[in-house]
Amino acid sequence: MSRFFTTGSDSESESSLSGEELVTKPVGGNYGKQPLLLSEDEEDTKRVVRSAKDKRFEELTNLIRTIRNAMKIRDVTKCLEEFELLGKAYGKAKSIVDKEGVPRFYIRILADLEDYLNELWEDKEGKKKMNKNNAKALSTLRQKIRKYNRDFESHITNYKQNPEQSADEDAEKNEEDSEGSSDEDEDDEGVSATAFLKKKSDAPSGESRKYLKKLEDEDEDSEDSEDDEDWDTGSTSSDSDSEEEEGKQTVLASRFLKKAPTTEEDKKAAEKKREDKAKKKHDRKSKRLDEEEEDNEGGEWERVRGGVPLVKKPKMFAKGTEITHAVVIKKLNEILQARGKKGTDRAAQIELLQLLVQIASENNLGEGVIVKIKFNIIASLYDYNPNLATYMKPEMWQKCLDCINELMDILFANPNIFVGENILEESENLHNADQPLRVRGCILTLVERMDEEFTKIMQNTDPHSQEYVEHLKDEAQVCTIIERVQRYLEEKGTTDEICRVYLRRILHTYYKFDYKAHQRQLTPPEGSSKSEQDQAENEGEDSAVLMERLCKYIYAKDRTDRIRTCAILCHIYHHALHSRWYQARDLMLMSHLQDNIQHADPPVQILYNRTMVQLGICAFRQGLTKDAHNALLDIQSSGRAKELLGQGLLLRSLQERNQEQEKVERRRQVPFHLHINLELLECVYLVSAMLLEIPYMAAHESDARRRMISKQFHHQLRVGERQPLLGPPESMREHVVAASKAMKMGDWKTCHSFIINEKMNGKVWDLFPEADKVRTMLVRKIQEESLRTYLFTYSSVYDSISMETLSDMFELDLPTVHSIISKMIINEELMASLDQPTQTVVMHRTEPTAQQNLALQLAEKLGSLVENNERVFDHKQGTYGGYFRDQKDGYRKNEGYMRRGGYRQQQSQTAY
Amino acid sequence: MASRKEGTGSAAPSSSSTTGAAGKGKGKGGSGDSAVKQVQIDGLVVLKIIKHYQEEGQGTEVVQGVLLGLVVEDRLEITNCFPFPQHTEDDADFDEVQYQMEMMRSLRHVNIDHLHVGWYQSTYYGSFVTRALLDSQFSYQHAIEESVVLIYDPIKTAQGSLSLKAYRLTPKLMEVCKEKDFSPEALKKGNITFEHMFEEVPIVIKNSHLINVLMWELEKKSAVADKHELLSLASSNHLGKTLQLLMDRVDEMSQDIVKYNTYMRNTSKQQQQKHQYQQRRQQENMQRQSRGEPPLPEEDLSKLFKPHQPPARMDSLLIAGQINTYCQNIKEFTAQNLGKLFMAQALQEYNS
């Protein structure tokens, strides 16, 4: 122990020292039990099979390192955890410790930790600031360590009394600490990581080499010896700074790693390459160190875990190697082999691939190779997030877009490149200029994936933030890319592919309201503005025309049902959005989607729901209340409109689904910019329900078998009634309820003012593209329905009523009133007749009164009761069970018959 | 009002306290067929019940209370009462019995009759024939032989005529209830129909002379009574409500019958199966006999065919009783109203 420290710490730089401390000390450290070792460091770096001791000690050192880190960031909780682990690990290592004696570093950490804790304990101020967990952990840990240290008391005192032994390192430590950087740790990390990796990687490579090429054993040995020499030079130059040293170590590592791919190359080349590599590594390392110095301890952890360096190393070309297609492709494959493996640094992989592209383009390897690599870059960009739920970072996304654009550029520029998924790896032609280039890969898949990523980004961005707007700007880019792909595939792709890309295009078009086309429609084609119009038309085709074209192609050519279904739905949606109700409806009916949509997958169902809703809203705009109501009924009656439209998850059902389901559902959500305003939807539904339900209720007030047209509307009414105190309406629902109440009384003006006012305009009506038209339609509807309601409700108090009065009351013109009343009379809703000369409605007063109605119902019920009773009586025929009933049955039967007789009489002379 | 109450309060106990012991003895003695032939109610009790409803009951809510008094010969004299406190959710642990005992003890201290002789309940359009009423009246009558239940109908009362009725369970029903067996057979054996479930006991309202004097005096003093609810011609509301309730009961009855029907069907089906099984068994045994083998052991048939649980008939009886009450109500009401209408018509003719 002392040997190591005294010699090591004296001669070597801080970083190397700490490196030894952590990694090599166990080996070289204690009491010189392995006198054969030439140099501890070296011994360690060599890939000998690690003894149990090494393993145990490494475990300990790792734990100690963690504790030290935790100490630095004052994370006492972590300390406590690690300390407990340490105790356990120590227990495991007990047998070795018994042999070797208590390792020095172990004592040191114990002593340090105790000091540290005492210090913390004393620091009342700091303790107050600590959070609860930490404070608790502190007291626990303090007690524990006190107890624990009792066993090592002699060692610790020994350690404490030996300042000269540890003076140097302490000094160094202090120095570092005062410098405020965590050099030591980083170096620890770097070295240990590399060392560790070396071990890991070397062992198999060494082995394989042994198996495969026994001949090379000698070489290896010699190499080893070279290494030794290298090392010696390194260490003898006592000032060699840590970086150099590290460089060397990495050299070592790289050499062995190198070995696998480049075994054929002769030793000299390897040698040379190694040197190059070393330099490169050196640079990189230093760069990395710089970076690290900037961020603090936190950063270093990642590096340890991800086995980065392993992947990185084999990817560089040696200087001087001629860069040919074969080499590049080989590199590419190497890089790709790491793909998807655990511990592969995906970011680095992407970087490497980009480097490779650069190299390829620098060396004029032809477009084929570049295209191939580009494909892979994009693929690895997609791979970057291992989790389906997470989304791309903005910079990644940007990179991806750029990459695809570049790829498209190349493909457009070089029409002789064939791209396809079905081209086999073997039949690829990347460089033979004579034949057309063939590259494996599918641009369409990439674009589809890109589109999905875009959706994911939108899903995961807060829709009310500026960020969302920023992301949304990319939508244009996505559209352009899709358009380009479309153009490309129209030339080269199969129909299948064209269908797919068309669908993508459709999916990006259908929900957008075409303001330009709308504008054009509004200004009728007059001669004066002809030229302007032409110009406008030249700017781009109407989205309607575009949709028509794309969808028709899909209808004709598509062979997968799903694409066609989606296309139809989008088409309907688009029609509905642009108020082409009849086209939309016909398409919906013709497609028979309503019958079998429940077999479709959830995203399609969501699309279907969206389409239905849009259809309903469209019908409403056209004044077709009934159609609107029917279309919206399914969505609204469930009360889960939000969920059904994929616009959010309901809290209520949160308990019912597990985490997994929730994730799946979250992925199905429609991005915010596609959302249909739920309040608008509900308002449209409620208003249509009101227009249908109120007259109906008035007409069937006393009918017991009256059915509700809309449950939800009734629910709202009931909620309104339950209010103990009715203030002026605030929310949309309250407005509709208030309006309904007014309408019940036939008071259309109040109804109107409740439905159409500032608040409602802001909340709902202004959201329509043609708000004014909708409003006029609505007023007219309210007038008509109010008139009907009025007639239903108050016809019993009139003997006759002049149509002129009605027309004045409801501000409708006489013919309209006339037609409405006539319709009611024909439908036998109103028992009245029209007196033409005086323009009056004469009531017949044949409606049964409430009591009569009730009596009729009662009679009916009694009828069924008697029937049931008789059935019981029938059983008496059998010998079982009915004895007791005899008397009673008889009695009841008589009564029942009498009543039924009465009922029949009633029926025949209802007017009694 | 207050003065009147006081009057009865002081008058009733003074008269009853002397006859208390004798009356009780007699009541016990004559418990063979029907303990009570007549109910005599003090004016105070009536007023207290009305007041109780007006203060606490509204709509379909029902108020209840305890009747106090004693039995004199075959006459039950109800001389006082007190209400049950209204139940709320937050005092679930409220001990009603404790409260009643406490109340009666307190009343005893002020020298008021403290013997429990029954209970009263308000009703909504005469819908009082329920299981709850049956159960509690049964337990009352089980514990206190002579107890009655007073049904107060506030709606009828509001129409101008005080509606207060005293009911008791018939001895037959008591027996059935005691056995707690409401199967069709048991009811048949008990020979109970819905008409013979409750017996109405005639009521007499009696005031002390002092009160009568006071009343006369008050009547003279008071201005012309301007309330003529009795003459109101409006009928639709009351009729409509009653009809609605009647319809609901009829629906329930229908359901009940359907249930019973299913039960009957199931039983007969099972019976058939049983029969078949037995026959098969018999045949087999015959065969075995002819072959000289021992017959199969007898199996427990009831285990193989578990008899279906017969539906309890009490509910349907109660419903029938309720329907009956409704019908009577309607009959009464319409009869009265028709009379009124004729009167009004005559009046019109006379005027014109």
Side-chain angles (χ1 to χ4, degrees):
Chain A
M1 170 176 180
S2 55
R3 191 192 73 144
F4 166 70
F5 268 112
T6 42
T7 56
S9 59
D10 279 345
S11 64
E12 284 179 35
S13 70
E14 45 175 78
S15 59
S16 69
L17 169 108
S18 48
E20 287 159 6
E21 219 176 86
L22 294 167
V23 183
T24 68
K25 202 169 64 183
V27 182
N30 302 307
Y31 312 114
K33 284 246 165 174
Q34 287 155 309
L36 286 177
L37 299 180
L38 292 172
S39 129
E40 311 91 328
D41 276 318
E42 227 223 292
E43 184 53 35
D44 180 57
T45 50
K46 269 190 192 161
R47 61 256 154 237
V48 287
V49 175
R50 289 190 304 164
S51 65
K53 181 183 140 206
D54 291 359
K55 229 167 85 186
R56 292 282 172 237
F57 279 10
E58 194 180 302
E59 205 177 340
L60 288 181
T61 44
N62 279 336
L63 284 171
I64 288 170
R65 202 162 58 228
T66 325
I67 291 180
R68 286 212 186 276
N69 282 325
M71 273 160 75
K72 264 186 202 151
I73 57 169
R74 307 193 115 200
D75 187 353
V76 188
T77 328
K78 181 88 179 162
C79 269
L80 176 61
E81 265 169 41
E82 295 296 329
F83 177 71
E84 274 162 9
L85 287 177
L86 186 65
K88 270 182 209 155
Y90 184 75
K92 272 190 207 159
K94 192 75 186 156
S95 59
I96 294 152
V97 171
D98 287 346
K99 248 193 289 172
E100 310 260 339
V102 183
R104 165 115 190 133
F105 59 85
Y106 192 68
I107 297 302
R108 209 172 67 152
I109 184 69
L110 289 182
D112 285 357
L113 194 56
E114 195 177 15
D115 288 347
Y116 172 72
L117 287 175
N118 284 334
E119 194 183 307
L120 275 186
W121 192 253
E122 298 305 316
D123 183 10
K124 296 281 181 218
E125 278 294 300
K127 230 165 76 182
K128 260 179 217 159
K129 272 184 219 155
M130 251 184 233
N131 65 27
K132 218 172 159 189
N133 278 344
N134 264 354
K136 211 169 141 197
L138 176 62
S139 55
T140 334
L141 185 54
R142 191 160 155 268
Q143 279 175 355
K144 273 197 178 163
I145 199 151
R146 219 186 261 165
K147 217 163 124 197
Y148 195 78
N149 280 4
R150 233 169 269 153
D151 301 339
F152 299 93
E153 219 163 317
S154 60
H155 291 285
I156 290 170
T157 42
N158 195 19
Y159 163 75
K160 281 186 178 164
Q161 282 165 0
N162 248 347
E164 75 273 9
Q165 269 185 356
S166 50
D168 295 359
E169 54 173 14
D170 280 348
E172 279 156 18
K173 252 198 180 226
N174 291 339
E175 207 177 17
E176 281 161 26
D177 287 348
S178 63
E179 272 167 21
S181 74
S182 47
D183 274 339
E184 185 204 30
D185 284 17
E186 270 146 22
D187 291 345
D188 287 358
E189 239 60 85
V191 176
S192 60
T194 39
F196 177 69
L197 287 164
K198 253 180 279 160
K199 275 179 194 158
K200 217 169 95 182
S201 59
D202 287 350
S205 63
E207 261 173 30
S208 65
R209 245 179 294 139
K210 261 173 213 155
Y211 289 132
L212 294 170
K213 301 188 181 72
K214 295 218 166 160
L215 289 176
E216 275 206 351
D217 280 356
E218 267 184 301
D219 294 351
E220 195 188 340
D221 287 350
S222 64
E223 265 175 45
D224 281 353
S225 63
E226 271 168 28
D227 275 345
D228 294 352
E229 277 165 29
D230 281 354
W231 178 259
D232 288 342
T233 52
S235 58
T236 44
S237 62
S238 59
D239 288 333
S240 67
D241 66 328
S242 65
E243 288 166 2
E244 220 171 317
E245 200 176 24
E246 264 185 57
K248 205 137 299 156
Q249 288 186 342
T250 43
V251 167
L252 251 165
S254 60
R255 182 165 60 87
F256 290 115
L257 288 165
K258 247 303 132 40
K259 223 53 190 201
T262 58
T263 33
E264 288 123 85
E265 294 172 38
D266 64 1
K267 230 170 71 185
K268 271 190 183 173
E271 189 78 38
K272 205 174 154 196
K273 216 160 74 178
R274 213 194 327 154
E275 268 167 28
D276 287 350
K277 265 291 260 288
K279 263 184 202 143
K280 256 189 211 165
K281 276 287 114 120
H282 187 150
D283 293 347
R284 182 122 51 93
K285 202 81 192 177
S286 60
K287 222 170 39 189
R288 216 205 299 164
L289 271 175
D290 290 344
E291 275 171 19
E292 267 162 32
E293 251 150 19
E294 276 164 29
D295 46 5
N296 36 11
E297 291 103 323
E300 68 212 35
W301 290 97
E302 284 168 36
R303 209 156 1 91
V304 181
R305 284 190 211 113
V308 195
L310 167 68
V311 196
K312 269 184 185 166
K313 275 158 204 165
K315 281 165 195 167
M316 293 308 169
F317 288 108
K319 222 178 215 169
T321 33
E322 196 189 342
I323 294 178
T324 61
H325 288 101
V327 177
V328 171
I329 296 297
K330 200 182 225 163
K331 284 294 141 207
L332 180 62
N333 286 338
E334 266 165 37
I335 296 168
L336 290 184
Q337 262 153 22
R339 185 180 162 189
K341 274 182 194 145
K342 233 186 188 177
T344 310
D345 185 347
R346 295 177 292 272
Q349 211 187 0
I350 292 163
E351 251 169 59
L352 282 170
L353 283 168
Q354 267 165 345
L355 258 168
L356 206 60
V357 169
Q358 258 177 30
I359 293 170
S361 59
E362 272 165 21
N363 290 290
N364 284 327
L365 289 185
E367 305 295 351
V369 179
I370 294 175
V371 167
K372 171 109 181 137
I373 300 173
K374 286 251 180 212
F375 267 126
N376 285 311
I377 291 178
I378 298 167
S380 5
L381 278 169
Y382 292 147
D383 273 354
Y384 185 71
N385 284 322
N387 194 337
L388 255 176
T390 49
Y391 60 103
M392 273 187 170
K393 288 188 204 117
E395 57 265 33
M396 284 289 180
W397 167 244
Q398 211 49 50
K399 225 187 255 177
C400 177
L401 284 183
D402 292 345
C403 225
I404 293 178
N405 265 326
E406 281 166 34
L407 184 62
M408 291 307 296
D409 285 338
I410 298 172
L411 288 179
F412 270 111
N414 302 282
N416 60 336
I417 300 177
F418 282 104
V419 178
E421 323 175 67
N422 42 5
I423 297 171
L424 289 176
E425 203 79 44
E426 296 85 48
S427 62
E428 272 185 336
N429 176 14
L430 297 178
H431 50 90
N432 193 345
D434 308 335
Q435 289 157 349
L437 296 170
R438 295 161 70 84
V439 181
R440 180 185 164 82
C442 179
I443 183 77
L444 179 58
T445 324
L446 291 182
V447 169
E448 278 176 346
R449 185 71 202 273
M450 172 199 75
D451 196 27
E452 273 155 32
E453 286 295 336
F454 178 68
T455 316
K456 235 189 274 174
I457 289 175
M458 297 318 280
Q459 278 170 355
N460 284 291
T461 315
D462 173 19
H464 304 292
S465 62
Q466 193 58 33
E467 209 185 333
Y468 194 86
V469 181
E470 289 302 320
H471 285 313
L472 198 52
K473 282 177 187 162
D474 291 338
E475 214 259 339
Q477 244 177 312
V478 173
C479 286
T480 7
I481 288 177
I482 291 175
E483 238 179 287
R484 291 184 72 183
V485 174
Q486 180 197 334
R487 249 183 293 140
Y488 180 74
L489 288 177
E490 271 169 1
E491 283 169 33
K492 303 209 164 167
T494 61
T495 45
D496 256 6
E497 283 172 329
I498 295 178
C499 282
R500 270 161 71 192
V501 78
Y502 274 5
L503 182 66
R504 285 285 149 189
R505 186 81 196 277
I506 288 168
L507 285 176
H508 275 279
T509 317
Y510 79 97
Y511 63 89
K512 290 173 189 155
F513 189 78
D514 193 348
Y515 279 98
K516 262 191 230 153
H518 184 62
Q519 215 61 42
R520 246 173 278 147
Q521 260 181 0
L522 282 187
T523 51
E526 284 165 29
S528 58
S529 59
K530 192 105 186 173
S531 58
E532 259 178 64
Q533 267 182 36
D534 285 344
Q535 251 183 344
E537 255 159 17
N538 288 338
E539 274 170 30
E541 59 182 336
D542 270 10
S543 65
V545 180
L546 179 74
M547 286 293 286
E548 189 85 17
R549 187 165 60 80
L550 300 181
C551 288
K552 285 222 166 119
Y553 185 87
I554 290 178
Y555 301 155
K557 298 280 168 65
D558 176 58
R559 272 169 302 167
T560 63
D561 224 22
R562 192 175 183 277
I563 290 181
R564 188 170 41 227
T565 311
C566 287
I568 292 175
L569 287 173
C570 291
H571 202 177
I572 297 169
Y573 190 101
H574 193 258
H575 276 316
L577 192 64
H578 294 85
S579 297
R580 294 187 290 270
W581 156 251
Y582 289 103
Q583 279 133 300
R585 187 198 61 182
D586 292 348
L587 201 53
M588 179 58 99
L589 292 178
M590 279 193 306
S591 61
H592 293 288
L593 277 175
Q594 276 148 312
D595 307 331
N596 49 24
I597 193 69
Q598 64 269 24
H599 306 304
D601 49 354
V604 178
Q605 286 193 15
I606 285 175
L607 185 59
Y608 171 79
N609 289 338
R610 285 165 56 74
T611 308
M612 278 314 275
V613 165
Q614 198 58 250
L615 205 58
I617 292 173
C618 172
F620 181 77
R621 280 196 306 245
Q622 309 289 311
L624 305 162
T625 357
K626 196 155 188 167
D627 291 304
H629 181 263
N630 287 344
L632 299 181
L633 184 62
D634 283 343
I635 304 289
Q636 280 291 319
S637 62
S638 63
R640 297 185 302 150
K642 199 166 153 196
E643 209 179 352
L644 291 175
L645 292 176
Q647 301 189 353
L649 305 173
L650 286 184
L651 284 176
R652 180 170 51 79
S653 52
L654 214 59
Q655 313 98 322
E656 291 161 24
R657 59 172 172 247
N658 52 30
Q659 211 93 58
E660 216 34 51
Q661 272 171 309
E662 193 185 328
K663 263 186 208 156
V664 171
E665 273 172 44
R666 213 169 270 290
R667 234 173 290 145
R668 272 187 218 137
Q669 299 303 302
V670 176
F672 184 72
H673 58 283
L674 306 186
H675 280 197
I676 294 168
N677 189 324
L678 289 175
E679 191 166 27
L680 170 76
L681 167 65
E682 195 181 352
C683 180
V684 165
Y685 174 75
L686 285 179
V687 170
S688 355
M690 176 187 87
L691 292 175
L692 293 174
E693 185 86 69
I694 296 291
Y696 181 82
M697 273 164 69
H700 299 85
E701 199 162 21
S702 51
D703 191 349
R705 274 172 309 169
R706 179 185 68 187
R707 282 215 190 82
M708 283 185 264
I709 295 178
S710 158
K711 266 205 180 125
Q712 229 215 343
F713 178 70
H714 274 274
H715 175 70
Q716 292 303 340
L717 281 188
R718 251 175 281 133
V719 168
E721 271 164 26
R722 238 180 281 144
Q723 295 294 321
L725 204 63
L726 264 185
E730 276 297 324
S731 69
M732 178 274 297
R733 286 174 192 165
E734 283 166 6
H735 271 103
V736 177
V737 169
S740 309
K741 276 186 190 150
M743 194 188 228
K744 242 189 229 168
M745 315 300 291
D747 182 358
W748 78 271
K749 272 186 188 149
T750 322
C751 180
H752 172 206
S753 69
F754 276 130
I755 291 286
I756 296 172
N757 53 30
E758 280 301 305
K759 255 185 209 158
M760 290 291 272
N761 276 346
K763 268 181 186 147
V764 181
W765 306 125
D766 286 344
L767 298 175
F768 285 127
E770 298 163 300
D772 286 323
K773 234 163 99 185
V774 173
R775 277 191 282 258
T776 11
M777 177 279 296
L778 210 55
V779 175
R780 176 151 178 113
K781 278 272 160 196
I782 288 173
Q783 285 168 338
E784 287 176 11
E785 295 303 328
S786 297
L787 169 62
R788 273 161 55 81
T789 315
Y790 185 82
L791 283 176
F792 282 134
T793 317
Y794 298 109
S795 65
S796 58
V797 297
Y798 283 104
D799 270 333
S800 64
I801 185 167
S802 148
M803 280 204 280
E804 249 168 87
T805 322
L806 286 176
S807 124
D808 281 349
M809 268 171 80
F810 293 95
E811 293 182 17
L812 289 162
D813 48 352
L814 210 56
T816 321
V817 173
H818 187 267
S819 83
I820 290 174
I821 292 175
S822 307
K823 232 184 258 171
M824 286 169 77
I825 292 173
I826 289 169
N827 290 337
E828 295 188 336
E829 288 170 332
L830 189 65
M831 298 302 166
S833 54
L834 282 173
D835 188 39
Q836 210 60 43
T838 51
Q839 289 285 315
T840 48
V841 190
V842 183
M843 306 296 170
H844 289 174
R845 296 185 158 274
T846 51
E847 294 280 302
T849 63
Q851 269 77 48
Q852 285 165 345
N853 265 326
L854 280 175
L856 284 173
Q857 282 168 34
L858 179 62
E860 235 167 86
K861 288 205 164 130
L862 287 173
S864 70
L865 175 64
V866 169
E867 242 164 66
N868 282 331
N869 208 15
E870 262 169 54
R871 234 174 273 153
V872 174
F873 188 63
D874 286 343
H875 269 285
K876 222 199 76 177
Q877 249 69 355
T879 39
Y880 320 109
Y883 291 116
F884 165 65
R885 307 276 312 171
D886 283 1
Q887 222 185 353
K888 217 167 159 189
D889 279 348
Y891 176 78
R892 289 258 178 80
K893 212 173 86 182
N894 284 338
E895 192 184 46
Y897 275 131
M898 270 160 62
R899 287 206 184 167
R900 194 144 74 155
Y903 162 64
R904 278 190 191 129
Q905 272 170 6
Q906 261 178 20
Q907 284 276 24
S908 56
Q909 36 179 289
T910 324
Y912 95 91
Chain B
M1 187 112 167
S3 64
R4 257 197 251 178
K5 232 202 259 177
E6 265 172 39
T8 39
S10 58
S14 61
S15 66
S16 62
S17 56
T18 48
T19 52
K24 249 202 148 181
K26 280 228 166 147
K28 282 249 164 90
S31 64
D33 37 4
S34 188
V36 183
K37 290 267 189 286
Q38 196 188 30
V39 176
Q40 179 184 313
I41 308 176
D42 232 275
L44 167 74
V45 176
V46 178
L47 289 176
K48 267 180 117 174
I49 292 173
I50 294 173
K51 184 163 173 275
H52 181 200
Y53 177 79
Q54 256 165 8
E55 277 169 359
E56 285 183 23
Q58 3 153 274
T60 51
E61 244 172 84
V62 155
V63 297
Q64 292 174 330
V66 175
L67 295 175
L68 301 172
L70 37 81
V71 179
V72 184
E73 291 164 2
D74 58 355
R75 192 175 71 225
L76 178 67
E77 290 183 358
I78 300 171
T79 53
N80 213 327
C81 68
F82 62 88
F84 285 145
Q86 212 73 346
H87 268 297
T88 48
E89 271 82 30
D90 31 273
D91 50 21
D93 54 341
F94 178 76
D95 190 353
E96 220 165 73
V97 177
Q98 181 70 31
Y99 172 79
Q100 283 180 36
M101 299 313 285
E102 199 64 38
M103 198 70 191
M104 281 191 268
R105 205 170 300 135
S106 305
L107 287 172
R108 186 186 197 169
H109 286 315
V110 291
N111 213 10
I112 293 174
D113 276 340
H114 59 272
L115 293 173
H116 209 155
V117 295
W119 57 300
Y120 68 87
Q121 190 199 312
S122 70
T123 175
Y124 177 72
Y125 284 109
S127 39
F128 61 87
V129 189
T130 58
R131 191 60 184 257
L133 182 118
L134 176 76
D135 286 346
S136 53
Q137 179 58 19
F138 168 70
S139 59
Y140 264 103
Q141 238 169 292
H142 194 62
I144 308 160
E145 167 75 49
E146 64 273 4
S147 53
V148 295
V149 53
L150 272 187
I151 303 290
Y152 164 64
D153 190 337
I155 290 155
K156 258 197 203 164
T157 308
Q159 279 164 354
S161 53
L162 174 67
S163 163
L164 202 60
K165 282 181 178 161
Y167 288 99
R168 284 170 56 79
L169 301 185
T170 54
K172 278 183 198 166
L173 190 64
M174 281 300 286
E175 268 165 44
V176 173
C177 284
K178 243 178 241 169
E179 277 157 36
K180 296 231 180 301
D181 181 12
F182 300 123
S183 64
E185 284 78 15
L187 289 190
K188 183 179 182 283
K189 209 176 77 196
N191 197 14
I192 285 181
T193 63
F194 68 91
E195 297 136 307
H196 303 122
M197 288 170 71
F198 294 96
E199 59 180 357
E200 199 186 329
V201 188
I203 291 182
V204 176
I205 298 179
K206 195 176 177 195
N207 284 325
S208 68
H209 299 306
L210 276 174
I211 289 175
N212 284 337
V213 170
L214 182 70
M215 295 264 279
W216 282 111
E217 212 174 295
L218 282 176
E219 199 159 282
K220 235 184 227 174
K221 270 187 201 165
S222 73
V224 183
D226 46 5
K227 284 189 180 170
H228 297 292
E229 295 100 341
L230 203 58
L231 296 178
S232 159
L233 291 176
S235 64
S236 61
N237 193 24
H238 188 261
L239 257 186
K241 283 260 167 59
T242 321
L243 273 176
Q244 208 93 51
L245 287 165
L246 179 59
M247 260 190 285
D248 291 347
R249 289 297 95 70
V250 170
D251 270 347
E252 275 171 34
M253 184 60 127
S254 259
Q255 280 168 13
D256 212 62
I257 287 183
V258 169
K259 229 185 273 169
Y260 189 70
N261 204 0
T262 350
Y263 159 70
M264 297 248 289
R265 236 191 349 254
N266 285 344
T267 353
S268 69
K269 213 186 279 169
Q270 200 180 48
Q271 206 73 26
Q272 254 171 354
Q273 282 174 346
K274 210 166 160 180
H275 208 66
Q276 277 178 352
Y277 179 80
Q278 273 172 330
Q279 273 185 335
R280 235 181 303 137
R281 207 17 107 78
Q282 226 168 6
Q283 275 180 347
E284 210 166 310
N285 273 350
M286 296 257 276
Q287 278 178 352
R288 276 167 165 267
Q289 230 166 19
S290 63
R291 271 180 284 166
E293 289 170 44
L296 287 171
E298 280 297 314
E299 279 176 58
D300 194 3
L301 281 174
S302 62
K303 246 184 207 167
L304 273 173
F305 301 100
K306 273 189 189 141
H308 291 278
Q309 192 64 39
R313 299 303 297 157
M314 199 30 122
D315 286 336
S316 75
L317 268 186
L318 283 171
I319 294 169
Q322 183 65 67
I323 289 176
N324 194 30
T325 329
Y326 283 142
C327 288
Q328 254 150 24
N329 267 353
I330 292 173
K331 217 161 74 186
E332 254 173 55
F333 182 77
T334 42
Q336 278 178 11
N337 253 41
L338 272 177
K340 279 189 243 171
L341 284 173
F342 278 122
M343 226 160 71
Q345 196 185 13
L347 213 62
Q348 285 258 318
E349 276 165 16
Y350 176 77
N351 278 351
S352 61

